[in-house]
Amino acid sequence: MPTVTEIREMAGEEKITMLTAYDAVTASIVDEAGTDIVLVGDSVGNAEMGHDSTLPVTVDEMASRTGAVVRGTEDAMVVADMPFLSFGVDESESIEHCGRMLKEEGADAVKIESSPRTVELTQRLSELGIPVMAHLGLTPQKVNQLGGYTRQGTTPEAARRILDLANKHEEAGAFSLVLEHVPANLAERVTDALTIPTIGIGAGPACDGQVLVINDVVGLSEWEPPFAKQFGDVRSEMEGAVEGYVDAVESGEFPAEEHSHHEDELDELY
Ligand code: KIV
């Protein structure tokens, strides 16, 4: 498992790969492919739980998913995403929620959607031994304030705010920073300014690493953001398999002889 120090040292040296996973089976596939970091994203809300946003996802749900991903992962670092309102309301409650992901579920670090209000919390968590991955740019938990999943940092003032917050979170002890849906030249500027690695999603190629939602990568999503790339078509594969099963049961083709067994002494049973 790459340590926090090793992930930091990859900045500018070696591209960091990160993918989401929400269950043990997917985590084992992501891990065996050599991914550096498995993110148990609160994107599970949209990707797998049928919600329209990440807002309804609870701490208990994230804890359960994190435990499953940890059990499916041998080599990668596991980062638990902290859901909406699980941090930032009350300091000791925030620490308890974040600590639970490490202490009870076995995660290696937490990710927090960052803002001016999370600088102090990042420092406190880091001091307590809870490594923090910061997240700036499009922060989906603010969807109601942002008015949608729109590109961020597109004006000089907005870009400066992101750069300033990135520096503050690095100073506070964050070991890495996700940059989501921001202009590539802003991501490049932030990457140059920091010593910790940036991990981009919709943030261009200059970041130290890249992250995508696994469902988008394998082709399971019904909708995917413009910056995602599909590398497979698992949805079609699954549809084909399920249709094949339904047809075979309806036609009586399944189960066949080889899927059944007989006990001779039961032939006389009445
Ligand atoms: O929840 C998530 O999956 C994320 C990544 C897209 C960065 O925050």
Side-chain angles (χ1 to χ4, degrees), residues 18-22 39-46 54 62 81 111 113 133 135 138 140-141 178-180 199-201 211-214 227:
M18 179 159 96
L19 276 174
T20 68
Y22 316 107
L39 172 67
V40 193
D42 66 347
S43 51
V44 66
N46 322 58
T54 58
M62 287 308 299
D81 207 2
K111 178 171 82 59
E113 290 194 10
M133 177 179 280
H135 182 163
L138 173 60
Q141 291 171 14
V178 168
L179 280 174
E180 180 164 354
I199 303 179
I201 172 162
V211 56
L212 283 177
V213 166
I214 187 71
F227 50 74

